[in-house]
Amino acid sequence: MMKRSRKNKSVWKCGVDEPADLITLNPIFDVENCGWVFSEDITEYNIRDDAPLPPRRSTIVTASRLSRRLLNIMHQEKMEIHHSIFTELFPPSIALHYGLKAVYAPHPIYLDRSWPPATVNSVFNGGTDNTTSGPGSPFDWDNEHNHKGSTWYFHAEFAGDLWRRWLGLSKSEKKGAKEGASRLCLRNLLVHPIKWEENLENY
């Protein structure tokens, strides 16, 4: 919903003081020409061969907060209109199409190497106008390997390594504590993916 700015009645602000219908834990990006492998995975939109695809947004990792309103619209799109969009495209794209508020909630993401800030910026904001969208996106199939050394991505290897070290396990030894290994003391952070560990009765 559009609201007028209190300071300037001629200026309209979108989403001010409104709860978000979608809260994500990774940036929401424009998938057009970004090189993401599922960017065109939509069906039943009856698009002519010479027509462009509808505008689409995505966020990698499906751990998000969705409002009841957004879920109901997604249900109607699927059940009544038979629109189908790839999982990570679906909520952000529907929010865009219906003018719902969607936001990214930043949280600390750690890397397994000491990169200069300028390098981190160029790697993870290498898209159009220093964003995650368009050519050079960090979600391009050729660039996704950079996320393996992070603590939050669908194939982030550092997340599991850090988790096991926090448990007192070695980086490579998942079934038991390595002799002499001490547990890490870490600040609050989210890690993904973490699936399971074996023989953790003592933890």
Side-chain angles (χ1 to χ4, degrees), residues 42-80:
I42 66 173
T43 58
E44 298 299 329
Y45 272 79
N46 298 323
I47 302 168
R48 301 191 312 271
D49 292 339
D50 60 342
L53 295 174
R56 301 162 324 282
R57 299 294 184 269
S58 183
T59 181
I60 309 299
V61 179
T62 54
S64 303
R65 177 198 177 275
L66 284 70
S67 71
R68 181 181 179 86
R69 175 168 62 170
L70 176 56
L71 288 170
N72 283 337
I73 293 174
M74 291 168 60
H75 176 74
Q76 292 172 354
E77 284 277 326
K78 179 64 178 175
M79 297 302 296
E80 298 178 12

Side-chain angles (χ1 to χ4, degrees), residues 172-183:
S172 59
E173 189 174 1
K174 301 180 181 180
K175 295 186 178 181
K178 182 179 179 181
E179 184 177 355
S182 58
R183 296 182 63 173

Side-chain angles (χ1 to χ4, degrees), residues 151 156 158-164 190-197:
T151 52
F158 187 46
D161 293 342
L162 202 61
W163 165 252
R164 283 184 285 276
L190 300 174
V191 287
H192 180 80
I194 302 296
K195 302 300 183 181
W196 69 84
E197 301 292 349

Side-chain angles (χ1 to χ4, degrees), residues 109-110 144-161 164 191-194:
I109 296 178
Y110 295 88
E144 279 193 317
H145 65 276
N146 291 304
H147 295 275
K148 286 189 175 183
S150 75
T151 52
W152 186 266
Y153 204 63
F154 78 91
H155 67 351
E157 296 176 354
F158 187 46
D161 293 342
R164 283 184 285 276
V191 287
H192 180 80
I194 302 296

